PDB file of all heavy atoms in Angstrom:
ATOM      1  N   GLY C1224      -9.260 -24.901  -3.797  1.00  0.00           N
ATOM      2  CA  GLY C1224      -9.798 -26.182  -3.346  1.00  0.00           C
ATOM      3  C   GLY C1224      -9.256 -26.526  -1.968  1.00  0.00           C
ATOM      4  O   GLY C1224      -8.759 -25.660  -1.246  1.00  0.00           O
ATOM      5  N   ASP C1225      -9.333 -27.798  -1.607  1.00  0.00           N
ATOM      6  CA  ASP C1225      -8.768 -28.239  -0.330  1.00  0.00           C
ATOM      7  C   ASP C1225      -7.722 -29.307  -0.581  1.00  0.00           C
ATOM      8  O   ASP C1225      -7.567 -29.795  -1.702  1.00  0.00           O
ATOM      9  CB  ASP C1225      -9.859 -28.728   0.622  1.00  0.00           C
ATOM     10  CG  ASP C1225     -10.558 -29.985   0.125  1.00  0.00           C
ATOM     11  OD1 ASP C1225      -9.960 -31.075   0.240  1.00  0.00           O
ATOM     12  OD2 ASP C1225     -11.693 -29.874  -0.382  1.00  0.00           O
ATOM     13  N   GLY C1226      -6.992 -29.652   0.468  1.00  0.00           N
ATOM     14  CA  GLY C1226      -5.871 -30.574   0.331  1.00  0.00           C
ATOM     15  C   GLY C1226      -6.251 -31.966  -0.114  1.00  0.00           C
ATOM     16  O   GLY C1226      -5.383 -32.734  -0.530  1.00  0.00           O
ATOM     17  N   GLY C1227      -7.529 -32.295  -0.061  1.00  0.00           N
ATOM     18  CA  GLY C1227      -7.976 -33.588  -0.548  1.00  0.00           C
ATOM     19  C   GLY C1227      -8.326 -33.592  -2.017  1.00  0.00           C
ATOM     20  O   GLY C1227      -8.656 -34.645  -2.579  1.00  0.00           O
ATOM     21  N   THR C1228      -8.248 -32.425  -2.666  1.00  0.00           N
ATOM     22  CA  THR C1228      -8.607 -32.334  -4.089  1.00  0.00           C
ATOM     23  C   THR C1228      -7.437 -31.834  -4.935  1.00  0.00           C
ATOM     24  O   THR C1228      -7.652 -31.337  -6.037  1.00  0.00           O
ATOM     25  CB  THR C1228      -9.794 -31.367  -4.285  1.00  0.00           C
ATOM     26  OG1 THR C1228      -9.385 -30.041  -3.912  1.00  0.00           O
ATOM     27  CG2 THR C1228     -10.997 -31.774  -3.466  1.00  0.00           C
ATOM     28  N   VAL C1229      -6.196 -31.983  -4.446  1.00  0.00           N
ATOM     29  CA  VAL C1229      -5.076 -31.318  -5.099  1.00  0.00           C
ATOM     30  C   VAL C1229      -4.902 -31.776  -6.549  1.00  0.00           C
ATOM     31  O   VAL C1229      -4.724 -30.952  -7.452  1.00  0.00           O
ATOM     32  CB  VAL C1229      -3.776 -31.483  -4.282  1.00  0.00           C
ATOM     33  CG1 VAL C1229      -3.443 -32.932  -4.030  1.00  0.00           C
ATOM     34  CG2 VAL C1229      -2.615 -30.781  -4.965  1.00  0.00           C
ATOM     35  N   TRP C1230      -4.960 -33.096  -6.798  1.00  0.00           N
ATOM     36  CA  TRP C1230      -4.810 -33.555  -8.179  1.00  0.00           C
ATOM     37  C   TRP C1230      -5.989 -33.109  -9.029  1.00  0.00           C
ATOM     38  O   TRP C1230      -5.821 -32.632 -10.149  1.00  0.00           O
ATOM     39  CB  TRP C1230      -4.659 -35.075  -8.219  1.00  0.00           C
ATOM     40  CG  TRP C1230      -4.914 -35.663  -9.572  1.00  0.00           C
ATOM     41  CD1 TRP C1230      -5.928 -36.499  -9.934  1.00  0.00           C
ATOM     42  CD2 TRP C1230      -4.159 -35.420 -10.768  1.00  0.00           C
ATOM     43  NE1 TRP C1230      -5.860 -36.796 -11.279  1.00  0.00           N
ATOM     44  CE2 TRP C1230      -4.771 -36.156 -11.815  1.00  0.00           C
ATOM     45  CE3 TRP C1230      -3.029 -34.670 -11.059  1.00  0.00           C
ATOM     46  CZ2 TRP C1230      -4.296 -36.142 -13.118  1.00  0.00           C
ATOM     47  CZ3 TRP C1230      -2.548 -34.662 -12.365  1.00  0.00           C
ATOM     48  CH2 TRP C1230      -3.173 -35.395 -13.381  1.00  0.00           C
ATOM     49  N   ARG C1231      -7.198 -33.231  -8.494  1.00  0.00           N
ATOM     50  CA  ARG C1231      -8.396 -32.816  -9.227  1.00  0.00           C
ATOM     51  C   ARG C1231      -8.360 -31.307  -9.508  1.00  0.00           C
ATOM     52  O   ARG C1231      -8.717 -30.854 -10.600  1.00  0.00           O
ATOM     53  CB  ARG C1231      -9.632 -33.178  -8.408  1.00  0.00           C
ATOM     54  CG  ARG C1231     -10.967 -32.947  -9.113  1.00  0.00           C
ATOM     55  CD  ARG C1231     -12.075 -33.658  -8.360  1.00  0.00           C
ATOM     56  NE  ARG C1231     -13.379 -33.317  -8.899  1.00  0.00           N
ATOM     57  CZ  ARG C1231     -14.310 -32.620  -8.258  1.00  0.00           C
ATOM     58  NH1 ARG C1231     -14.062 -32.174  -7.033  1.00  0.00           N
ATOM     59  NH2 ARG C1231     -15.470 -32.367  -8.799  1.00  0.00           N
ATOM     60  N   ALA C1232      -7.908 -30.516  -8.508  1.00  0.00           N
ATOM     61  CA  ALA C1232      -7.819 -29.073  -8.697  1.00  0.00           C
ATOM     62  C   ALA C1232      -6.759 -28.722  -9.737  1.00  0.00           C
ATOM     63  O   ALA C1232      -6.972 -27.857 -10.597  1.00  0.00           O
ATOM     64  CB  ALA C1232      -7.501 -28.394  -7.364  1.00  0.00           C
ATOM     65  N   GLY C1233      -5.599 -29.398  -9.661  1.00  0.00           N
ATOM     66  CA  GLY C1233      -4.560 -29.138 -10.647  1.00  0.00           C
ATOM     67  C   GLY C1233      -5.006 -29.494 -12.048  1.00  0.00           C
ATOM     68  O   GLY C1233      -4.769 -28.746 -13.004  1.00  0.00           O
ATOM     69  N   TRP C1234      -5.681 -30.632 -12.185  1.00  0.00           N
ATOM     70  CA  TRP C1234      -6.162 -31.069 -13.498  1.00  0.00           C
ATOM     71  C   TRP C1234      -7.198 -30.090 -14.036  1.00  0.00           C
ATOM     72  O   TRP C1234      -7.153 -29.712 -15.223  1.00  0.00           O
ATOM     73  CB  TRP C1234      -6.758 -32.464 -13.375  1.00  0.00           C
ATOM     74  CG  TRP C1234      -7.300 -32.994 -14.668  1.00  0.00           C
ATOM     75  CD1 TRP C1234      -6.625 -33.658 -15.642  1.00  0.00           C
ATOM     76  CD2 TRP C1234      -8.662 -32.895 -15.122  1.00  0.00           C
ATOM     77  NE1 TRP C1234      -7.459 -33.978 -16.681  1.00  0.00           N
ATOM     78  CE2 TRP C1234      -8.720 -33.522 -16.389  1.00  0.00           C
ATOM     79  CE3 TRP C1234      -9.812 -32.341 -14.578  1.00  0.00           C
ATOM     80  CZ2 TRP C1234      -9.896 -33.599 -17.113  1.00  0.00           C
ATOM     81  CZ3 TRP C1234     -10.995 -32.420 -15.305  1.00  0.00           C
ATOM     82  CH2 TRP C1234     -11.028 -33.044 -16.551  1.00  0.00           C
ATOM     83  N   ALA C1235      -8.131 -29.653 -13.176  1.00  0.00           N
ATOM     84  CA  ALA C1235      -9.145 -28.691 -13.623  1.00  0.00           C
ATOM     85  C   ALA C1235      -8.495 -27.382 -14.039  1.00  0.00           C
ATOM     86  O   ALA C1235      -8.900 -26.753 -15.020  1.00  0.00           O
ATOM     87  CB  ALA C1235     -10.163 -28.449 -12.503  1.00  0.00           C
ATOM     88  N   GLY C1236      -7.454 -26.979 -13.308  1.00  0.00           N
ATOM     89  CA  GLY C1236      -6.751 -25.759 -13.662  1.00  0.00           C
ATOM     90  C   GLY C1236      -6.074 -25.856 -15.018  1.00  0.00           C
ATOM     91  O   GLY C1236      -6.103 -24.908 -15.809  1.00  0.00           O
ATOM     92  N   TRP C1237      -5.463 -26.992 -15.311  1.00  0.00           N
ATOM     93  CA  TRP C1237      -4.820 -27.166 -16.616  1.00  0.00           C
ATOM     94  C   TRP C1237      -5.852 -27.080 -17.736  1.00  0.00           C
ATOM     95  O   TRP C1237      -5.577 -26.518 -18.789  1.00  0.00           O
ATOM     96  CB  TRP C1237      -4.084 -28.505 -16.665  1.00  0.00           C
ATOM     97  CG  TRP C1237      -2.999 -28.595 -15.641  1.00  0.00           C
ATOM     98  CD1 TRP C1237      -2.206 -27.594 -15.182  1.00  0.00           C
ATOM     99  CD2 TRP C1237      -2.628 -29.771 -14.917  1.00  0.00           C
ATOM    100  NE1 TRP C1237      -1.355 -28.053 -14.210  1.00  0.00           N
ATOM    101  CE2 TRP C1237      -1.585 -29.391 -14.026  1.00  0.00           C
ATOM    102  CE3 TRP C1237      -3.043 -31.098 -14.912  1.00  0.00           C
ATOM    103  CZ2 TRP C1237      -0.970 -30.285 -13.158  1.00  0.00           C
ATOM    104  CZ3 TRP C1237      -2.435 -31.988 -14.051  1.00  0.00           C
ATOM    105  CH2 TRP C1237      -1.415 -31.585 -13.187  1.00  0.00           C
ATOM    106  N   GLN C1238      -7.033 -27.647 -17.500  1.00  0.00           N
ATOM    107  CA  GLN C1238      -8.088 -27.559 -18.506  1.00  0.00           C
ATOM    108  C   GLN C1238      -8.535 -26.112 -18.726  1.00  0.00           C
ATOM    109  O   GLN C1238      -8.881 -25.720 -19.831  1.00  0.00           O
ATOM    110  CB  GLN C1238      -9.295 -28.411 -18.083  1.00  0.00           C
ATOM    111  CG  GLN C1238      -9.014 -29.900 -17.967  1.00  0.00           C
ATOM    112  CD  GLN C1238      -8.617 -30.507 -19.302  1.00  0.00           C
ATOM    113  OE1 GLN C1238      -9.235 -30.246 -20.324  1.00  0.00           O
ATOM    114  NE2 GLN C1238      -7.578 -31.326 -19.294  1.00  0.00           N
ATOM    115  N   ALA C1239      -8.546 -25.339 -17.634  1.00  0.00           N
ATOM    116  CA  ALA C1239      -9.018 -23.952 -17.699  1.00  0.00           C
ATOM    117  C   ALA C1239      -7.871 -22.957 -17.840  1.00  0.00           C
ATOM    118  O   ALA C1239      -8.057 -21.764 -17.617  1.00  0.00           O
ATOM    119  CB  ALA C1239      -9.829 -23.630 -16.452  1.00  0.00           C
ATOM    120  N   GLN C1240      -6.690 -23.453 -18.216  1.00  0.00           N
ATOM    121  CA  GLN C1240      -5.515 -22.631 -18.499  1.00  0.00           C
ATOM    122  C   GLN C1240      -5.041 -21.815 -17.298  1.00  0.00           C
ATOM    123  O   GLN C1240      -4.648 -20.646 -17.425  1.00  0.00           O
ATOM    124  CB  GLN C1240      -5.756 -21.721 -19.705  1.00  0.00           C
ATOM    125  CG  GLN C1240      -6.025 -22.510 -20.981  1.00  0.00           C
ATOM    126  CD  GLN C1240      -6.006 -21.654 -22.230  1.00  0.00           C
ATOM    127  OE1 GLN C1240      -5.503 -20.552 -22.227  1.00  0.00           O
ATOM    128  NE2 GLN C1240      -6.566 -22.185 -23.298  1.00  0.00           N
ATOM    129  N   SER C1241      -5.080 -22.435 -16.119  1.00  0.00           N
ATOM    130  CA  SER C1241      -4.535 -21.808 -14.916  1.00  0.00           C
ATOM    131  C   SER C1241      -3.463 -22.705 -14.327  1.00  0.00           C
ATOM    132  O   SER C1241      -3.613 -23.933 -14.308  1.00  0.00           O
ATOM    133  CB  SER C1241      -5.631 -21.585 -13.867  1.00  0.00           C
ATOM    134  OG  SER C1241      -5.067 -21.160 -12.647  1.00  0.00           O
ATOM    135  N   ARG C1242      -2.390 -22.081 -13.828  1.00  0.00           N
ATOM    136  CA  ARG C1242      -1.330 -22.823 -13.143  1.00  0.00           C
ATOM    137  C   ARG C1242      -1.160 -22.332 -11.718  1.00  0.00           C
ATOM    138  O   ARG C1242      -0.100 -22.470 -11.127  1.00  0.00           O
ATOM    139  CB  ARG C1242      -0.006 -22.684 -13.910  1.00  0.00           C
ATOM    140  CG  ARG C1242      -0.018 -23.281 -15.312  1.00  0.00           C
ATOM    141  CD  ARG C1242      -0.216 -24.789 -15.290  1.00  0.00           C
ATOM    142  NE  ARG C1242      -0.203 -25.357 -16.626  1.00  0.00           N
ATOM    143  CZ  ARG C1242      -1.263 -25.534 -17.384  1.00  0.00           C
ATOM    144  NH1 ARG C1242      -2.463 -25.155 -16.941  1.00  0.00           N
ATOM    145  NH2 ARG C1242      -1.163 -26.075 -18.586  1.00  0.00           N
ATOM    146  N   CYS C1243      -2.216 -21.760 -11.156  1.00  0.00           N
ATOM    147  CA  CYS C1243      -2.172 -21.243  -9.790  1.00  0.00           C
ATOM    148  C   CYS C1243      -3.182 -21.999  -8.930  1.00  0.00           C
ATOM    149  O   CYS C1243      -4.368 -22.055  -9.267  1.00  0.00           O
ATOM    150  CB  CYS C1243      -2.504 -19.749  -9.762  1.00  0.00           C
ATOM    151  SG  CYS C1243      -1.366 -18.719 -10.695  1.00  0.00           S
ATOM    152  N   LEU C1244      -2.693 -22.561  -7.823  1.00  0.00           N
ATOM    153  CA  LEU C1244      -3.548 -23.283  -6.885  1.00  0.00           C
ATOM    154  C   LEU C1244      -3.475 -22.628  -5.512  1.00  0.00           C
ATOM    155  O   LEU C1244      -2.390 -22.270  -5.045  1.00  0.00           O
ATOM    156  CB  LEU C1244      -3.103 -24.735  -6.735  1.00  0.00           C
ATOM    157  CG  LEU C1244      -3.201 -25.682  -7.920  1.00  0.00           C
ATOM    158  CD1 LEU C1244      -2.716 -27.068  -7.507  1.00  0.00           C
ATOM    159  CD2 LEU C1244      -4.624 -25.754  -8.443  1.00  0.00           C
ATOM    160  N   VAL C1245      -4.619 -22.489  -4.864  1.00  0.00           N
ATOM    161  CA  VAL C1245      -4.673 -22.090  -3.462  1.00  0.00           C
ATOM    162  C   VAL C1245      -5.552 -23.111  -2.760  1.00  0.00           C
ATOM    163  O   VAL C1245      -6.731 -23.267  -3.091  1.00  0.00           O
ATOM    164  CB  VAL C1245      -5.234 -20.671  -3.279  1.00  0.00           C
ATOM    165  CG1 VAL C1245      -5.341 -20.343  -1.793  1.00  0.00           C
ATOM    166  CG2 VAL C1245      -4.346 -19.652  -3.980  1.00  0.00           C
ATOM    167  N   LEU C1246      -4.962 -23.843  -1.804  1.00  0.00           N
ATOM    168  CA  LEU C1246      -5.638 -24.974  -1.178  1.00  0.00           C
ATOM    169  C   LEU C1246      -5.640 -24.844   0.339  1.00  0.00           C
ATOM    170  O   LEU C1246      -4.659 -24.380   0.934  1.00  0.00           O
ATOM    171  CB  LEU C1246      -4.937 -26.290  -1.551  1.00  0.00           C
ATOM    172  CG  LEU C1246      -4.753 -26.590  -3.036  1.00  0.00           C
ATOM    173  CD1 LEU C1246      -3.899 -27.836  -3.203  1.00  0.00           C
ATOM    174  CD2 LEU C1246      -6.095 -26.757  -3.724  1.00  0.00           C
ATOM    175  N   ASP C1247      -6.726 -25.262   0.950  1.00  0.00           N
ATOM    176  CA  ASP C1247      -6.792 -25.435   2.398  1.00  0.00           C
ATOM    177  C   ASP C1247      -6.184 -26.802   2.709  1.00  0.00           C
ATOM    178  O   ASP C1247      -6.748 -27.831   2.322  1.00  0.00           O
ATOM    179  CB  ASP C1247      -8.256 -25.370   2.849  1.00  0.00           C
ATOM    180  CG  ASP C1247      -8.418 -25.550   4.351  1.00  0.00           C
ATOM    181  OD1 ASP C1247      -7.409 -25.516   5.070  1.00  0.00           O
ATOM    182  OD2 ASP C1247      -9.569 -25.726   4.792  1.00  0.00           O
TER     183      ASP C1247
END
Side-chain angles (χ1 to χ4, degrees):
D1225 65 77
T1228 65
V1229 56
W1230 163 245
R1231 186 166 172 247
W1234 179 86
W1237 299 326
Q1238 297 297 315
Q1240 298 191 17
S1241 172
R1242 297 296 181 269
C1243 299
L1244 294 181
V1245 177
L1246 305 173
D1247 180 11

